[in-house]
Amino acid sequence: MTIGIIGSGNVGRALGQLFSHVGEQVIISHRHGVASLAPVIAEMRSTVEAGTVADAAKQDIVVLAVPFNALPELPTSVDPKTIIIDATNYYPSRDGDQPALAAHQVTSSELVAKHFGTKKVVKAFNTIAMTKIRSLAKPSQPAGRIAIPIAGDDNAAKQTVTTLIKRIGFDVVDLGSLSDSYPAQADGPLFLFAGDADQVRAQVQH
Ligand SMILES: NC(=O)c1ccc[n+]([C@@H]2O[C@H](COP(=O)([O-])OP(=O)(O)OC[C@H]3O[C@@H](n4cnc5c(N)ncnc54)[C@H](OP(=O)(O)O)[C@@H]3O)[C@@H](O)[C@H]2O)c1
């Protein structure tokens, strides 16, 4: 299984490091040339390579680590087997007014799935601060793990993402389908909430 990461900022770098620490093959990308990723690659283990956005989008799992407003600029053609992890958040102040999102008529991850024309989108990692994620990961300690909320419309894709999240040292709480992912959005009760699985489930009710 290979992982492509689109975006090499806080999220792209933190997840690239966590994935490479458990031996995953990763291609990380951003808008600029591949050579400009040299300082990013230098922080990572040897299983991480620099690539173009098109290279990253061809991998088995593609992590979106870009501002939500970059969505229209991303490729739309991915292999039907590709799983997309949506780590983005929609912030009106950064990403512009989108009345349907503000009115909770649709979740931001449903718009991501619509853009890529696939059901294999799993929302994950968007609630956790990247300044903390590396210190919260417990890859060799199954007890007392922080839980990452996920949501998605394809159960097999969610299972694959669950396995990956557990490998890097977190538990998982499945919120349901993408249309159930409001609690994990930037205006929801799980945003920046760090707790174990029971605490995350309780927080959803807040
Ligand atoms: N920071 C956090 O703790 C955190 C936690 C969870 C989720 N998130 C969410 O995750 C996303 C990324 O956050 P971040 O903090 O990593 O942002 P960031 O540090 O600003 O990095 C964004 C990255 O996206 C790239 N990018 C922008 N537009 C692109 C495009 N059209 N094609 C390819 N790459 C593009 C940027 O590349 P350039 O350098 O070329 O512009 C940059 O590498 C956001 O939606 C954010 O809300 C953030």
Side-chain angles (χ1 to χ4, degrees):
M1 193 176 69
T2 57
I3 302 173
I5 301 179
I6 303 179
S8 63
N10 302 300
V11 175
R13 288 198 308 270
L15 293 181
Q17 285 182 341
L18 286 168
F19 296 149
S20 68
H21 271 91
V22 295
E24 299 289 351
Q25 296 291 324
V26 177
I27 293 183
I28 191 163
S29 67
H30 63 189
R31 278 189 286 201
H32 307 294
V34 171
S36 63
L37 285 161
V40 175
I41 297 299
E43 297 171 357
M44 313 243 176
R45 295 196 175 180
S46 59
T47 60
V48 185
E49 289 173 39
T52 62
V53 170
D55 295 332
K58 284 184 198 139
Q59 306 312 307
D60 304 321
I61 294 179
V62 178
V63 181
L64 304 185
V66 296
F68 184 77
N69 64 14
L71 185 63
E73 298 160 22
L74 302 185
T76 51
S77 57
V78 289
D79 187 284
K81 289 193 197 123
T82 297
I83 295 170
I84 294 169
I85 296 181
D86 177 20
T88 70
N89 288 300
Y90 166 64
Y91 296 126
S93 57
R94 179 190 63 191
D95 300 317
D97 279 338
Q98 296 217 21
L101 287 173
H104 282 194
Q105 290 162 353
V106 67
T107 64
S108 60
S109 290
E110 287 178 288
L111 295 184
V112 168
K114 191 172 172 194
H115 174 86
F116 287 99
T118 177
K119 286 187 182 302
K120 295 185 191 299
V121 171
V122 180
K123 187 178 191 74
F125 296 117
N126 67 295
T127 59
I128 186 163
M130 293 297 134
T131 46
K132 296 190 181 152
I133 193 168
R134 278 164 284 202
S135 62
L136 293 174
K138 294 181 176 168
S140 53
Q141 202 179 315
R145 288 178 164 197
I146 295 297
I148 305 265
I150 68 164
D153 296 341
D154 183 292
N155 284 333
K158 282 200 283 195
Q159 194 48 56
T160 300
V161 174
T162 295
T163 301
L164 177 65
I165 292 173
K166 289 188 172 176
R167 267 169 64 68
I168 65 170
F170 291 93
D171 206 350
V172 169
V173 169
D174 184 355
L175 300 176
S177 63
L178 293 181
S179 62
D180 297 321
S181 63
Y182 291 111
Q185 296 200 142
D187 56 359
L190 295 179
F191 192 65
L192 299 180
F193 179 80
D196 65 19
D198 287 342
Q199 291 168 325
V200 167
R201 286 188 202 99
Q203 183 72 4
V204 174
Q205 311 307 324
H206 279 212

